[in-house]
């Protein structure tokens, strides 16, 4: 009752009211007149047909072929902190490997006392854990280094997703094999045609990495590495090897392709930073944004977005509506979990004038998201990876939103 009144008042404030004799109220509608589908019409449920726009999308000119490409999470259309399984962005270097779990094998070799091979049923007999983590590709926002480019947070920031993983701590499996004291690094290798291989410091492998077989309560999706992927919480998505088939313990990093010519950051002085594993503190306003314009005119406006940090939890998000001149602390709502997405809101009265929306996140370690100029001063403009700078959306008087740069 109270909220209905509040809603009515809000609508009145915008100059609109309910039309007298609205047929949606006075006439019986089809959904009220006829019986609907019975149970089992969709043994695996799908979203409402009215949500058909909420899909992953790619940018065709970014890559030459879809088997080595990326599509993007529709962040502008989602709420809360969990990404639905069917909407998690996909990044494949050689397409999706299709593996029958009965044929699945995970090998541990190298500097271990006992080389081991696990089947799916072996993995499911170890004590398991449930953890919510974001996964962000190091190339997320990479197109925005030199200036604003892609018109929508799906494209500028959509190489991130956040789900609850179920899996066995990597530590448990390594302990089973017995890591020799000379072991300092771990090589994780995928079973797909790209045989994705990355070196991970043993310290991280023994800390919080998971060998995961489920996401959001059900088996991993094929696109996300079914039947088993590695989770490397807070670190760049490339290390989260999908279709995981082998773990080798060694005494130094391997210098594979994806940690030398790729996933290193070329600085202004010609020297490349390498082993830049951590995903730094970052945020983005998801609505309003270019794909989520303001359609209701002035009055109450919910500004919302996501913040995350590879270093832990988000302690604060500030939002500016005037391009960074003034800041207000946003409201964080929903679980605050380390290395997971955080949801923030700033509820304002929009006077209908142009806005320059920005968000700036801070994490529990005190790291603050930089402006674009601060980031470029530190890293130059050669890199495409690890762009965690502040994003600006221009909201025009007609409610349309555009990607602009205020640096
Ligand atoms: N693992 C394998 N085996 N093959 C791959 O192509 N891509 C990596 C990583 N793991 C990749 C992989 C990259 S670059 C990223 S960002 C993440 O997987 C993407 O995970 P997702 O497809 O579940 O979003
Ligand atoms: Co990636």
């Amino acid at each position: 009752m109270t909220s209905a009144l509040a809603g009515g008042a809000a609508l009145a404030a915008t100059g609109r009211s309910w039309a007298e004799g609205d047929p949606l109220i006075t006439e019986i509608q089809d959904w009220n007149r006829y019986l609907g589908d019975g149970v089992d019409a969709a043994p695996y449920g799908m979203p409402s047909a009215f949500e058909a726009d909420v899909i992953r999308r790619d940018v065709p000119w970014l890559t030459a072929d879809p088997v080595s490409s990326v599509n993007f999470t529709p962040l502008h259309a989602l709420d809360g902190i969990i990404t639905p399984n069917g909407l998690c962005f996909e990044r494949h270097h050689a397409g999706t490997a299709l593996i029958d779990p009965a044929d699945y094998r995970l090998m541990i070799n190298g500097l271990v006392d006992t080389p081991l091979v696990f089947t799916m049923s072996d993995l499911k007999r170890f004590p398991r854990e449930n953890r919510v983590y974001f996964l962000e590709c190091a190339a997320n926002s990479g197109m925005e280094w030199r200036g604003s480019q892609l018109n929508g947070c799906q494209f500028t920031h959509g190489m991130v997703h956040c789900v609850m993983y179920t899996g066995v701590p990597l530590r448990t499996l390594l302990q089973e094999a017995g890591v020799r004291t000379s072991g300092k690094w771990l090589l994780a290798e995928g079973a797909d045609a790209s045989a994705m291989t990355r070196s991970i410091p043993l310290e991280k492998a023994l800390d919080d990495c998971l060998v995961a077989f489920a996401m959001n309560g059900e088996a991993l999706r094929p696109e996300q590495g079914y039947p088993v992927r590695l989770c490397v919480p807070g670190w760049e998505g490339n290390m989260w090897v999908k279709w995981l088939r082998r773990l080798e313990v060694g005494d130094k990093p391997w210098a594979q392709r994806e940690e030398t010519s790729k996933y290193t950051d070329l600085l202004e002085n010609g020297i490349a930073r390498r082993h830049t594993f951590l995903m730094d503190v970052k945020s983005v306003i998801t609505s309003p944004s270019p794909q989520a314009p303001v359609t209701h005119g002035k009055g109450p406006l919910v500004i919302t977005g996501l913040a995350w940090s590879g270093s832990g939890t988000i302690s604060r998000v500030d939002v500016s509506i005037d391009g960074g001149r003034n800041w207000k602390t946003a409201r964080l709502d929903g679980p605050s979990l380390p290395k997971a997405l955080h949801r923030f809101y700033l509820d304002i009265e929009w006077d209908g004038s142009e806005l320059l929306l920005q968000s700036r996140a801070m994490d529990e370690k005190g790291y603050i998201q930089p402006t674009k100029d601060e980031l470029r001063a530190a890293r130059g403009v050669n890199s495409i990876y690890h762009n965690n700078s502040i994003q600006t959306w221009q909201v025009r008087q007609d409610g349309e939103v555009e990607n602009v740069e205020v640096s």
Side-chain angles (χ1 to χ4, degrees), residues 13 18 23 82 85 94 144 149 164 176 238 252 267 336 345 388 404:
W18 297 287
I82 297 292
N85 285 345
E144 307 294 306
Q149 182 155 221
M164 179 182 284
E176 193 77 7
N238 188 255
K252 53 183 179 305
L267 299 176
S336 171
Y345 298 95
N388 67 325
V404 297

Side-chain angles (χ1 to χ4, degrees), residues 101-305:
D103 297 337
Y104 177 77
R105 302 288 184 273
L106 173 60
M107 177 186 291
I108 300 187
N109 67 340
L111 300 174
V112 291
D113 296 334
T114 323
L116 293 172
V117 174
F118 303 100
T119 63
M120 248 353 257
S121 88
D122 294 335
L123 288 180
K124 291 195 169 172
R125 295 174 72 185
F126 286 99
R128 61 185 84 150
E129 291 180 352
N130 294 292
R131 296 284 184 277
V132 177
Y133 292 125
F134 77 80
L135 179 166
E136 184 184 18
C137 181
N140 199 22
S141 315
M143 302 307 291
E144 307 294 306
W145 266 99
R146 292 158 192 257
S148 58
Q149 182 155 221
L150 299 173
N151 220 22
C153 71
Q154 177 163 21
F155 306 111
T156 56
H157 289 74
M159 287 164 85
V160 68
H161 52 62
C162 182
V163 305
M164 179 182 284
Y165 293 97
T166 308
V168 179
L170 177 54
R171 181 193 327 115
T172 307
L173 301 181
L174 290 173
Q175 279 164 357
E176 193 77 7
V179 174
R180 303 229 171 116
T181 46
S182 52
K184 298 285 178 260
W185 285 79
L186 185 73
L187 186 75
E189 182 183 74
D192 56 326
S194 81
M196 175 61 61
T197 23
R198 285 292 304 250
S199 308
I200 302 168
L202 197 64
E203 201 182 18
K204 176 69 173 175
L206 295 173
D207 180 17
D208 57 359
C209 292
L210 272 186
V211 175
F213 47 79
M215 58 196 284
N216 291 335
E218 62 179 0
L220 293 179
R221 292 292 169 91
E223 307 91 293
Q224 266 66 49
Y226 181 90
V228 174
R229 93 174 302 164
L230 189 63
C231 300
V232 190
W235 287 18
E236 61 188 16
N238 188 255
M239 307 174 85
W240 296 51
V241 172
K242 303 192 276 191
W243 313 290
L244 182 67
R245 79 163 165 210
R246 194 167 69 89
L247 297 161
E248 181 180 340
V249 178
D251 56 1
K252 53 183 179 305
W254 277 258
Q256 296 282 346
R257 174 181 180 271
E258 308 297 321
E259 48 204 19
T260 50
S261 81
K262 299 285 182 292
Y263 301 97
T264 48
D265 315 323
L266 186 59
L267 299 176
E268 213 57 10
N269 61 8
I271 292 175
R273 298 197 311 159
R274 47 174 207 150
H275 298 163
T276 48
F277 305 136
L278 186 78
M279 298 311 293
D280 281 319
V281 62
K282 185 165 174 178
S283 70
V284 67
I285 290 173
T286 53
S287 177
S289 64
Q291 299 155 287
V294 185
T295 53
H296 55 56
K298 59 188 178 185
L301 171 65
V302 175
I303 300 172
T304 185

Side-chain angles (χ1 to χ4, degrees), residues 313-379:
T313 56
I314 292 294
S315 54
R316 191 172 125 193
V317 180
D318 290 341
V319 169
S320 173
I321 62 170
D322 58 8
R325 268 184 229 112
N326 298 286
W327 295 92
K328 279 205 174 97
T329 298
R331 181 168 59 85
L332 291 167
D333 190 82
S336 171
L337 301 166
K339 304 173 190 179
L341 294 185
H342 289 57
R343 173 63 58 177
F344 66 85
Y345 298 95
L346 186 73
D347 308 289
I348 68 161
E349 283 289 320
W350 184 38
D351 63 8
S353 62
E354 184 185 295
L355 306 175
L356 288 170
L357 295 181
Q358 297 186 331
S359 63
R360 178 179 66 189
M362 280 154 250
D363 69 22
E364 63 171 298
K365 297 271 159 58
Y367 292 110
I368 303 177
Q369 191 180 357
T371 64
K372 276 195 169 184
D373 274 352
E374 285 166 347
L375 186 75
R376 289 191 286 235
R379 306 253 185 85

